[in-house]
Amino acid sequence: MIKISINGQEFDLPENWTEVDKKKLPELLRNVFVASESRIAYHNILRVVLGFEQKKWNRLMNQFFGRSSTARNMDASSTALADLLRVLSWMWKSDLTIAPFESFEVDGKDWLLFNDGFRSMSFGELTDAYIHAQAFIKQLIEGEERLNMLVATLCRPKRAGDFKNDPSWNGDDREDYNEHIAQLRSKQIEYAYFEQKVLVLVYFLGSVKNFFSYFDLFENDGTPPVPDEFPGQSMIKNQHLLSEKSIFGNMSHTKKANVHEVFQFLEEHHKDVKAEIERHKQANQN
């Protein structure tokens, strides 16, 4: 932690995600990874880290930048805020896309983290993990329940047996994903492993943002062109559409399909739809 003083009051600034107060984490992550980059987002980051309620923060900003403040004082305040942001710049300087660890031990068993770049991840696992991450950040259920579900979804024990010589092996060292088992396992990490859970969350958010950027399906910030009414709405909709057309088989097969194959198909389909719309526009203009 880095100690600073504002108006004679002492504050602690975190130097990494594991030093962030649990209660502040969802709102901070929302402003860093979800909100568009803006002055408001930066102010919100400072406000949350310093522990100010919105009204108290507004009064403080009015004190620093209000009509009664001189130009000299406003310049000094702007410099001070910029210095604070530089101290916290580790939050947004680079997304965490390299695994922070290979595994961590839960009740005597190692839980392995997913491969970088979602190399062997299934579409169903990515969808569920994305939903849990967004639900935690937006605190749709207060507390860490969705964070625990996210970690139990993404971190699983190693497969049993000589799986690497199995012709049907999909390249994933972890057990196959099962949403019901993940729910049961989430209880095992309910009251512990906060440092590991935060690192898994940040690694997933950085990885999913990077993954989405490769496909012509999302905006630059990783959100769908039409905002979802609930977390993962567009991905669940695609699961149903793909299974109805039997592109990868039924719903169960679609969920088990590799995310790279699914997104490559969705991107090509998206391009075809855009081209068809453009052809209709051209035809109507002629």
Side-chain angles (χ1 to χ4, degrees):
M1 290 282 192
I2 297 176
K3 292 191 176 295
I4 63 164
S5 177
I6 300 178
N7 282 0
Q9 185 176 352
E10 296 291 326
F11 296 91
D12 290 327
L13 295 184
E15 297 183 86
N16 56 64
W17 286 111
T18 62
E19 291 184 351
V20 174
D21 187 296
K22 289 184 182 182
K23 295 179 180 178
K24 298 176 180 178
L25 186 62
E27 191 171 1
L28 269 180
L29 291 171
R30 183 163 62 248
N31 279 287
V32 174
F33 290 101
V34 179
S36 299
E37 187 174 339
S38 66
R39 182 179 64 84
I40 294 175
Y42 289 139
H43 269 252
N44 280 333
I45 289 169
L46 287 176
R47 176 182 62 78
V48 174
V49 167
L50 296 172
F52 284 93
E53 296 293 334
Q54 187 67 61
K55 287 184 179 179
K56 191 174 180 180
W57 178 259
N58 290 342
R59 287 197 296 269
L60 184 65
M61 291 301 100
N62 187 59
Q63 177 184 335
F64 290 160
F65 301 102
R67 293 179 180 177
S68 60
S69 183
T70 64
R72 182 177 180 179
N73 286 340
M74 284 193 281
D75 286 343
S77 297
S78 295
T79 300
L81 289 180
D83 288 341
L84 285 178
L85 283 171
R86 273 193 287 274
V87 173
L88 297 171
S89 62
W90 57 265
M91 290 185 178
W92 59 84
K93 264 188 174 179
S94 60
D95 295 323
L96 181 61
T97 56
I98 299 175
F101 51 80
E102 291 184 2
S103 64
F104 67 102
E105 187 177 313
V106 179
D107 296 337
K109 184 174 287 188
D110 286 339
W111 286 18
L112 280 63
L113 192 53
F114 63 90
N115 293 330
D116 61 287
F118 302 148
R119 293 195 309 271
S120 54
M121 187 174 289
S122 69
F123 186 39
E125 178 185 346
L126 177 63
T127 299
D128 288 353
Y130 182 82
I131 291 170
H132 293 317
Q134 294 299 316
F136 171 70
I137 290 172
K138 296 175 182 178
Q139 282 291 277
L140 299 184
I141 298 176
E142 189 175 349
E144 296 178 37
E145 179 180 329
R146 286 306 192 110
L147 177 59
N148 296 332
M149 281 296 300
L150 171 73
V151 175
T153 295
L154 296 171
C155 300
R156 304 192 293 278
K158 193 172 185 177
R159 293 175 185 269
D162 186 20
F163 59 88
K164 291 188 177 181
N165 288 317
D166 185 342
S168 64
W169 181 49
N170 65 354
D172 195 342
D173 289 359
R174 301 170 302 163
E175 292 179 354
D176 286 335
Y177 171 58
N178 182 298
E179 59 190 281
H180 305 294
I181 294 176
Q183 181 142 21
L184 291 174
R185 284 186 179 144
S186 70
K187 304 300 181 184
Q188 294 178 251
I189 56 175
E190 193 169 5
Y191 302 110
Y193 309 103
F194 182 68
E195 178 177 340
Q196 290 89 344
K197 288 189 284 191
V198 170
L199 290 173
V200 171
L201 172 63
V202 177
Y203 174 45
F204 176 73
L205 291 173
S207 297
V208 81
K209 181 179 178 182
N210 184 61
F211 179 72
F212 285 171
S213 71
Y214 290 110
F215 300 95
D216 183 21
L217 293 170
F218 301 90
E219 303 299 332
N220 291 334
D221 60 357
T223 58
V226 178
D228 288 346
E229 293 181 14
F230 56 86
Q233 180 186 24
S234 57
M235 297 175 75
I236 292 174
K237 183 178 179 181
N238 281 324
Q239 282 185 0
H240 286 279
L241 291 175
L242 291 172
S243 61
E244 285 173 8
K245 296 180 179 180
S246 294
I247 303 299
F248 296 94
N250 58 25
M251 179 64 80
S252 178
H253 294 142
T254 301
K255 289 182 177 182
K256 291 178 182 178
N258 182 276
V259 290
H260 291 270
E261 296 177 12
V262 172
F263 273 73
Q264 284 164 8
F265 173 83
L266 291 174
E267 180 178 47
E268 291 303 315
H269 177 67
H270 184 59
K271 289 178 181 177
D272 291 342
V273 170
K274 287 170 67 174
E276 184 64 23
I277 292 173
E278 186 61 32
R279 281 195 294 271
H280 278 295
K281 283 183 180 179
Q282 293 294 332
N284 291 333
Q285 289 175 357
N286 294 333

